[in-house]
Amino acid sequence: MQSPQALLRNGDNPSPSAQHRLPTPRFHSTVAEQNLPRFNSLILVFRLASFSFSLAAFVFMLTNTRGSDSPHWDDYDTFRFVLAANAIVMIYSLFEMGASVWEISRGATLLPEFLQVWFDFGHDQVFAYLLISASSAGTSLARTLKEMDTCSDSKAFCLQSDVAIVLGYAAFLFLGLTSLLSGFRVVCFIIHGSCFHM
Amino acid sequence: MQSPQALLRNGDNPSPSAQHRLPTPRFHSTVAEQNLPRFNSLILVFRLASFSFSLAAFVFMLTNTRGSDSPHWDDYDTFRFVLAANAIVMIYSLFEMGASVWEISRGATLLPEFLQVWFDFGHDQVFAYLLISASSAGTSLARTLKEMDTCSDSKAFCLQSDVAIVLGYAAFLFLGLTSLLSGFRVVCFIIHGSCFHM
């Protein structure tokens, strides 16, 4: 078991509340140490799923063009929004996957832990809102296009748009779940002063 | 200062962690007791704002019809979705305002505290996603209508739709803020076993 000095996170001084909790029972500490890698692995899996689905949505939307006679995703503001939102989530998820791998392999956060847990939670929340917003707007436009002549003339374009939007919803689902888990990490940090060394 | 028996929430038995934390310093308890009414009042104000904006959005969308020659909100699935989402948030906010007033006046939650804090946070999250989703879908349709002849023929219809959608965004903004505060109540409950008797 680590010494009290080793319990300090990332070289920080212990807060009064953290000092108050230093003599934590060994059982609690052992259980936490056993569960933390699983919890971080679950976050990594969810981030991987979110990345994969947003990447797929991005590619499906970007390649949704079939010559000059057919409509192009770039003709519609809403589809540009869908593409941009999925691109943002894709890049963010890639960064967060790197941060997760770093945490699992080194047992410490990439940024200072206070910053990391709030950064993750804040961005998960905002990007989840962004992605559900883009996907819903895309759904609305896709429905409108179906009611017009566009989809009867260009079935493949509409089908591929639908697939990209559904993939965006899937990415949102996993990002929303990750947001709950990163919220739990914030709670853990507030309670224990660190989720890595309890 | 209250006796240890009075610290139990709503007649529940104390959890082992709560028992462990019973001898909380008087200073902490006094600060918490002073800040709690302000915090609950802030939640009430945000809920009132969310209710008012969603009610206004609902009314603006419902009354958006000008005879048989003009388009009707009911002709568009997306506008029906906007109306339904604002109606749900309006009813939910009304219920939660009642619950907030109860809490402020009686110093205890309407439902058992464990259930109340999770109910509030869960519903705030889901309904915030629902409302941003509906508002974004509405925005997309409104933009499409502007690009077609609909808005040149029925300017008042489009303007009123826009107003309803913007009001929906305002309701979402306050619901999202409330969601953060109710998340903080969950944290408070997890740490202290109760946010009312610390």
Side-chain angles (χ1 to χ4, degrees):
Chain A
M1 191 175 177
Q2 289 170 300
S3 66
Q5 283 71 22
L7 294 174
L8 305 184
R9 61 187 157 83
N10 300 330
D12 291 355
N13 291 322
S15 63
S17 61
Q19 282 177 322
H20 179 69
R21 293 190 192 96
L22 276 180
T24 313
R26 185 187 180 89
F27 170 76
H28 178 82
S29 175
T30 310
V31 169
E33 280 166 16
Q34 283 176 348
N35 287 333
L36 188 66
R38 285 185 210 160
F39 186 75
N40 281 342
S41 301
L42 187 63
I43 290 181
L44 180 60
V45 169
F46 282 175
R47 292 217 183 274
L48 179 63
S50 185
F51 170 76
S52 306
F53 283 117
S54 56
L55 173 65
F58 178 81
V59 171
F60 265 77
M61 188 56 84
L62 191 68
T63 58
N64 197 10
T65 176
R66 287 171 178 74
S68 55
D69 295 342
S70 176
H72 191 278
W73 62 268
D74 198 27
D75 300 336
Y76 304 95
D77 285 345
T78 303
F79 285 162
R80 285 203 292 267
F81 179 34
V82 171
L83 189 91
N86 278 290
I88 289 168
V89 169
M90 181 182 70
I91 293 165
Y92 169 70
S93 297
L94 191 63
F95 166 75
E96 285 289 350
M97 278 165 61
S100 278
V101 170
W102 176 286
E103 282 177 25
I104 292 168
S105 60
R106 305 207 178 189
T109 48
L110 188 62
L111 305 175
E113 194 172 345
F114 167 80
L115 197 63
Q116 185 79 54
V117 294
W118 283 106
F119 176 91
D120 294 352
F121 178 65
H123 283 80
D124 285 349
Q125 284 272 309
V126 169
F127 291 151
Y129 284 132
L130 178 76
L131 201 51
I132 187 74
S133 172
S135 301
S136 299
T139 307
S140 175
L141 177 60
R143 287 183 68 92
T144 308
L145 291 179
K146 279 187 185 67
E147 287 164 9
M148 296 158 66
D149 293 336
T150 313
C151 283
S152 51
D153 298 340
S154 311
K155 283 182 183 172
F157 173 80
C158 289
L159 183 64
Q160 194 162 333
S161 303
D162 288 349
V163 172
I165 290 162
V166 169
L167 288 167
Y169 276 117
F172 157 74
L173 183 69
F174 284 100
L175 188 58
L177 287 172
T178 317
S179 159
L180 292 179
L181 296 184
S182 60
F184 188 82
R185 271 165 56 109
V186 172
V187 175
C188 176
F189 179 79
I190 290 172
I191 295 175
H192 298 289
S194 171
C195 291
F196 285 91
H197 304 115
M198 288 183 284
Chain B
M1 192 174 176
Q2 288 172 305
S3 67
Q5 284 73 21
L7 295 174
L8 305 184
R9 62 188 155 84
N10 301 327
D12 291 352
N13 290 323
S15 64
S17 62
Q19 281 176 324
H20 179 68
R21 294 194 190 93
L22 276 179
T24 313
R26 184 188 181 88
F27 171 75
H28 178 82
S29 173
T30 309
V31 170
E33 279 165 15
Q34 284 175 348
N35 287 334
L36 187 66
R38 286 184 210 163
F39 187 75
N40 281 343
S41 301
L42 187 63
I43 290 182
L44 180 60
V45 169
F46 282 176
R47 291 215 183 277
L48 178 64
S50 185
F51 169 77
S52 305
F53 282 118
S54 57
L55 172 66
F58 177 82
V59 171
F60 265 77
M61 189 55 84
L62 191 69
T63 57
N64 196 9
T65 176
R66 285 169 179 77
S68 55
D69 294 341
S70 176
H72 192 277
W73 64 268
D74 198 26
D75 299 337
Y76 304 96
D77 285 345
T78 303
F79 285 162
R80 284 204 292 267
F81 179 34
V82 172
L83 188 90
N86 278 290
I88 289 168
V89 169
M90 181 181 69
I91 293 166
Y92 169 70
S93 297
L94 190 62
F95 166 76
E96 285 289 348
M97 280 165 60
S100 277
V101 170
W102 176 286
E103 282 177 25
I104 291 168
S105 59
R106 305 207 179 190
T109 47
L110 188 62
L111 306 173
E113 196 172 343
F114 168 81
L115 197 63
Q116 185 79 55
V117 294
W118 283 106
F119 176 91
D120 293 353
F121 177 65
H123 283 81
D124 285 349
Q125 284 273 306
V126 170
F127 290 151
Y129 284 132
L130 179 76
L131 201 51
I132 187 74
S133 173
S135 301
S136 299
T139 307
S140 176
L141 178 60
R143 286 182 68 91
T144 308
L145 291 179
K146 280 187 184 66
E147 287 163 9
M148 296 160 64
D149 294 336
T150 313
C151 282
S152 51
D153 297 341
S154 311
K155 283 182 183 171
F157 172 80
C158 288
L159 181 64
Q160 193 163 334
S161 302
D162 287 349
V163 171
I165 290 162
V166 169
L167 289 167
Y169 276 117
F172 157 75
L173 183 70
F174 285 101
L175 188 58
L177 288 171
T178 317
S179 159
L180 291 179
L181 296 184
S182 60
F184 188 82
R185 272 165 55 109
V186 171
V187 175
C188 176
F189 179 79
I190 291 172
I191 295 175
H192 298 289
S194 171
C195 291
F196 285 91
H197 304 115
M198 289 185 284

